[in-house]
Amino acid sequence: DAGVIQSPRHEVTEMGQEVTLRCKPISGHDYLFWYRQTMMRGLELLIYFNNNVPIDDSGMPEDRFSAKMPNASFSTLKIQPSEPRDSAVYFCASSLEGAQTGELFFGEGSRLTVL
Amino acid sequence: SQQGEEDPQALSIQEGENATMNCSYKTSINNLQWYRQNSGRGLVHLILIRSNEREKHSGRLRVTLDTSKKSSSLLITASRAADTASYFCATDKAAGNKLTFGGGTRVLVKP
C-alpha cells in the first residue's frame, strides 16, 4: 500500500485566497483524522471522520475551515478565506480501528504558508 | 494545556547511549502511543501500550506505563544517529477516538 497520500506538499498563497488540501487514506481504513502542527501549538486535532461521517469537528478553529469526505478514498480540508495565522503543516492520518485501539498512519503533510 | 506533556523538551546524547523521555497526562486513558517524527516528515507510530499493561518492548524500544501516576516513559537503548528525531506521546481519553499529542521531545544523537 502507498500509505496516506496528501497533496499538495507545499502551498504558498496570499491572504484571502481559498486553500484546498487533499488526502487519500489507506484503503480499508475507516477513520480519517486532520491535524495541524505549529511550533506554538504543537499538534492539534481539527476533525475526524468514521466511515466518511464527521464525528467530531470541535477542533476546527473557525467557520473559515471546512472538511469533507465524499467517499472512503478522499477527503478535503478547505480554508476560505485564508489568513497568515493559518500557516502550518496540515497532516492527514487514517486508522483501521480508531485511536482507542489502534495506531494512526500519517501522511507526509501539507506545508501551508499564507502571506 | 495538552493531555500529554513530554519531558525533557530536548535531549542530546552520543551514539550508543540510552535515551529516556517521559510523558505525563491528566485524564483516564484507554491506551498511550508513542510516535517519531523526522524533520519535515509525517509521524510514524512506534508502540502502543494499553492501560492494563505496565511495560512493552519493541526492538530497542522499551515503554512503561504507570496509570497511578498518569505517566509513561520511552527508553531507546544503544541509540544511533538515525534515531535523531522528535518523539511524541499521544493519549486517547476513555471515551472517544480523539488522539491528543504532547509537545514532543527533540532527540539529537551525535555520531
Side-chain angles (χ1 to χ4, degrees), chain A residues 8-108:
Chain A
R9 289 295 313 277
H10 301 275
E11 172 103 5
V12 180
T13 190
E14 292 191 347
M15 183 174 63
Q17 296 298 306
E18 177 179 296
V19 173
T20 300
L21 308 178
R22 298 172 178 79
C23 175
K24 177 179 167 54
I26 293 172
S27 177
H29 282 193
D30 291 334
Y31 291 83
L32 185 139
F33 303 81
W34 282 100
Y35 281 87
R36 177 172 69 176
Q37 185 177 38
T38 61
M39 289 294 292
M40 291 298 295
R41 300 176 67 88
L43 274 155
E44 302 172 279
L45 176 64
L46 301 178
I47 185 172
Y48 81 91
F49 295 82
N50 179 213
N51 291 323
N52 312 339
V53 176
I55 302 300
D56 188 332
D57 65 355
S58 60
M60 296 285 263
E62 300 170 34
D63 291 344
R64 298 184 297 106
F65 286 69
S66 62
K68 294 182 180 179
M69 192 164 186
N71 56 62
S73 59
F74 184 65
S75 177
T76 59
L77 178 67
K78 186 175 292 187
I79 309 172
Q80 166 65 18
S82 58
E83 296 182 4
R85 61 195 166 117
D86 302 331
S87 297
V89 182
Y90 291 81
F91 287 101
C92 174
S94 70
S95 176
L96 183 62
E97 302 170 333
Q100 279 194 4
T101 53
E103 64 182 279
L104 271 58
F105 294 80
F106 281 79
E108 295 287 19

Side-chain angles (χ1 to χ4, degrees), chain B residues 4 12-14 23 26 44 51 59 62 74-75 78 82 89 91 95 105 111:
Chain B
S12 181
I13 56 174
Q14 293 293 137
C23 169
K26 294 182 171 63
V44 175
S51 59
R62 173 177 170 254
L74 170 66
L75 167 67
C89 71
T91 56
T105 294

Side-chain angles (χ1 to χ4, degrees), chain B residues 3 7 47 56 59 62 67 75 80 87 95 101 106:
Chain B
Q3 164 75 331
D7 169 57
I47 198 164
K56 204 161 183 181
R62 173 177 170 254
T67 53
L75 167 67
R80 305 167 181 168
Y87 292 82
F101 287 81
R106 295 187 310 279

